[in-house]
Amino acid sequence: MPVRKAQAVWQGDLKSGTGNISLPSGAFNGKYSFQTRFEETPGTNPEELIAAAHASCFSMALSHELASAGHTPKRVSTTAAVTLDKVPDGFGITKIILTTEGEVPGIDEKTFIDFAQKAKVGCPISKALSATPIELVAKLVG
């Protein structure tokens, strides 16, 4: 299996320094800083990148679960909300909420939610982040 990489370069101290994150594929190159992480300054941050990885992985896992059972989805859309909080020893990711909607012909909402729960457990990024509580909100649409 492939090994995926990303590079982050940081210059300066924590509060006034700046960084840049890049992907070898060229799909992303972005700036990050203390302000993009803890304030609302434009740019990215590690938690946003974790959210992107989790949302994309979960959407793929759920689509696979559904299609493997003969219910190929028309669309699966997922948002991941990653919470960074002050904790006793600094800062930590304290919660992730996956909110997903699926347009899947021929199934009811309970069945969709059951597949979503299974995908949450089986998603490789969910497994990697299993030390953090992960909540799921799933809705069948269309």
Side-chain angles (χ1 to χ4, degrees):
M1 297 305 289
V3 173
R4 303 298 183 197
K5 297 179 181 180
Q7 181 181 28
V9 176
W10 186 262
Q11 297 175 329
D13 65 24
L14 177 63
K15 288 203 175 181
S16 64
T18 60
N20 191 77
I21 299 168
S22 60
L23 306 181
S25 67
F28 179 79
N29 185 349
K31 299 201 177 303
Y32 72 110
S33 66
F34 182 89
Q35 292 75 26
T36 64
R37 192 170 196 185
F38 295 102
E39 299 169 10
E40 295 299 323
T41 303
T44 194
N45 57 70
E47 293 73 31
E48 182 177 65
L49 296 169
I50 289 170
H54 203 176
S56 59
C57 183
F58 176 82
S59 288
M60 291 176 77
L62 178 53
S63 294
H64 174 69
E65 291 291 339
L66 289 160
S68 294
H71 307 292
T72 301
K74 285 187 177 181
R75 181 173 83 61
V76 172
S77 174
T78 305
T79 301
V82 174
T83 301
L84 178 69
D85 281 322
K86 181 89 171 101
V87 295
D89 60 345
F91 285 87
I93 295 174
T94 57
K95 176 173 58 173
I96 300 169
I97 301 173
L98 294 172
T99 303
T100 192
E101 291 185 351
E103 186 176 349
V104 188
I107 66 170
D108 61 25
E109 187 153 53
K110 181 189 178 315
T111 303
F112 178 73
I113 292 169
D114 290 344
F115 278 108
Q117 288 289 352
K118 187 174 179 184
K120 183 186 101 166
V121 172
C123 165
I125 301 295
S126 290
K127 289 177 183 179
L129 300 172
S130 64
T132 302
I134 300 171
E135 299 176 18
L136 175 65
V137 178
K139 180 180 177 185
L140 186 65
V141 295

